[in-house]
Amino acid sequence: MRSFHAVAGVVALGIGLVGWATLGQAQPKPSRPVKVEIPGARPQPIDDPFEKPTIRNGIPDAPPTREPVRVLDKGDPGELPPLPPPPGKAAPAKEPVKPVVFIPKEHPEPDEPRSTDPVARQDSSVTLEWFGPTALKVGSPAEFTLVARNTAIIPLHKVIVQVKVPTGARVTESEPKSAGSDTVLMWDLGTLQPGKDKSVKFKLIPPGTGEMICSAWVTVTGSSALKVQVREPKLAVAVTAPPTAMPGDAVAVIVAVSNPGDHPADGVTLALKLGTGLEMAEGVKPLVEVGLLGPGKTREFKIPCVAKAAGIHACEVTATGEGTLKAAGTATVHVVQSKLDVEIAGPKLRYLDRKAIYTVKVTNPGDAAATEVAVSHKVPNGFKFVSADGSGKFDEVTKTIRWAIGEIGSGVSKELKCELIASGAGDFSHAITATAARGVSAEKSFATRVEGLAALAMEVADSDDPVEVGSDTTYEIRVTNTGSKDETDLKLVCTIPPLMKFKAADGPGKFDIVDGQVVFDVLKRLPARGDVIYKVTVTAKQKGDARFKATLTAGGLTEPVTRQESTRIYAD
């Protein structure tokens, strides 16, 4: 790029007022404007940022090239002598002004070595343009306009324009009002944006004929700003897992760690923490090294686990990186489990040959459905199978009733019934077993006592009726145990009526005659379905209606059994 020369100091603009020849001569029309460019000193850094330059093919446009300052007045093509510096200041040395070249590197790495060349440089440049007549009339005011224009690509601050009033000349008015003195006018124009301008006006009365030099200068405070892209790495963690599982199931925990920032995240690691009901598969470590994670990138990891115990268990994952980078994510797995409870209801006591109905209730109190449910009822030896409801089937060999139920939902119950007959006396246990898939099972037992029932029946019959006085008749007493239980301690007592006289007796044991009664010895045992016969022979003494009475007691009887037999006695 072609460099240009800055005009050091303040360049004198204007042209001597020529032609004060006659007072009656009319004031001529103003010629073309006088344009003077006065670059400012190298700016000091300030806080205000610069406007973004136009970028073409990755390189910002350079400021326009400026030629050396020349007076643009017809008839005076030569260079003007330099303007005197502002009061109290030395003339600045000439130095080349370079354009701004700022080529930011896209996505610089944080550890990239710093270049020794500057990455940004700004040039503060402002031009002053005179507008006004170049020939004046003595004693008549002439209006001049100074335009300050910012030709740089950055804002210029504290722009101050000053004009040295020629000796003997007088300023009648200025717009805006000058803040200087009678000899030096001064205007503070504030900040000039790139490509913008501001102007001041004043009226000047020349003192007399001859050449008059009008000097103007401008001072600015420039700025140098560097636009730096500050980037930040970030971490985000998303954890997903199956919402439910059962003990023994494989559980795949998916961890996605991402960098939603705009700078690489380095040294990324994942720390895994599982609830007590979850267990990492063999070989899986609780710490995963991720390393470098670029901006906008995501890496996904599959953590194989196994469900061990029922309950709600958390999968917590914490991601950390260099510096203070940290993020966490959590997912929960509800480990559900089916359970089985079994109950049995039935008679605790049954007599022989009596029916007994048993009800089996199977319940799933777990939080998952129980599948492949089967129930078995082991029938004890003291019972015989009669029937079973539903799908119940009886196995004669194993004496087992089996039901194939299938599935029982969570909190659901199923009732099963069977009918048995007590076939043997004693204490018997009914074993109930319920099983389901995944090794779920439950057992229950129920005891039933089976007893026999002693039921004694006694019959009394005479061999001759009526009987003649002096003749004999025999009474037969038959005792039968019609129950299912042996009877014990049987004792028979027969009462001889007064119209008769004892003659003989026969029975299973001995007997005694006590106060007109035949008392047989106690029979220790009478088997179920068994009987025993007693016989008593008497002789009729006198006519009438005789009543023979037999009384039986036993260990299983709460009340004695009594029977009477009537016999008529007659005389010839």
Side-chain angles (χ1 to χ4, degrees), residues 74 105 156 230 248 283 390 413 416 446 452 455 461 480 495 504 506 510-511:
K74 182 178 179 181
K105 181 176 179 180
L156 298 179
V230 179
S413 298
L416 310 168
F446 186 83
T480 303
T495 302
D506 185 27
K510 297 180 180 181
F511 63 90

Side-chain angles (χ1 to χ4, degrees), residues 162-430:
Q162 299 181 71
V163 175
K164 186 175 186 330
V165 179
T167 303
R170 182 166 57 89
V171 176
T172 60
E173 59 179 280
S174 64
E175 182 185 351
K177 186 175 179 59
S178 170
S181 62
D182 293 339
T183 59
V184 178
L185 308 178
M186 185 178 68
W187 295 271
D188 187 347
L189 303 184
T191 299
L192 269 180
Q193 297 297 328
K196 302 299 181 180
D197 59 57
K198 291 184 179 180
S199 62
V200 297
K201 294 180 181 181
F202 63 92
K203 289 184 178 182
L204 184 69
I205 299 177
T209 62
E211 187 177 74
M212 184 175 62
I213 302 299
C214 297
S215 301
W217 64 92
V218 61
T219 59
V220 298
T221 299
S223 64
S224 178
L226 174 65
K227 181 181 288 186
V228 179
Q229 293 291 338
V230 179
R231 305 183 186 276
E232 179 184 15
K234 296 181 180 179
L235 287 179
V237 176
V239 185
T240 58
T244 59
M246 297 188 73
D249 284 353
V251 177
V253 178
I254 307 299
V255 179
V257 55
S258 60
N259 178 3
D262 53 6
H263 193 280
D266 203 359
V268 180
T269 59
L270 299 178
L272 311 176
K273 182 180 179 182
L274 301 181
T276 56
L278 295 175
E279 186 177 280
M280 294 183 188
E282 186 176 356
V284 177
K285 297 181 180 180
L287 192 66
V288 177
E289 298 289 343
V290 180
L292 182 67
L293 190 60
K297 301 296 183 181
T298 299
R299 292 190 62 186
E300 199 171 80
F301 299 87
K302 182 178 180 181
I303 312 298
C305 302
V306 178
K308 289 296 184 181
I312 299 177
H313 307 288
C315 313
E316 299 178 0
V317 180
T318 302
T320 57
E322 284 188 355
T324 59
L325 287 180
K326 188 174 183 180
T330 303
T332 57
V333 179
H334 187 189
V335 181
V336 297
Q337 184 175 17
S338 60
K339 296 181 181 179
L340 290 179
D341 280 346
V342 63
E343 298 177 2
I344 180 170
K348 295 181 179 180
L349 174 66
R350 260 300 175 263
Y351 292 106
L352 285 170
D353 300 327
R354 295 296 189 268
K355 292 182 179 181
I357 297 177
Y358 292 89
T359 301
V360 177
K361 184 178 181 180
V362 183
T363 304
N364 176 11
D367 47 16
T371 59
E372 302 178 19
V373 179
V375 178
S376 63
H377 180 172
K378 177 71 174 178
V379 178
N381 291 331
F383 287 84
K384 292 181 180 180
F385 173 77
V386 177
S387 64
D389 67 349
S391 60
K393 296 181 179 179
F394 181 67
D395 187 343
E396 293 284 354
V397 177
T398 60
K399 295 195 67 175
T400 302
I401 309 171
R402 290 186 173 88
W403 289 271
I405 299 176
E407 181 175 312
I408 298 180
S410 173
V412 178
S413 298
K414 181 77 174 180
E415 284 192 354
L416 310 168
K417 290 185 179 181
C418 66
E419 185 177 310
L420 308 177
I421 290 182
S423 60
D427 293 324
F428 302 98
S429 179
H430 298 259

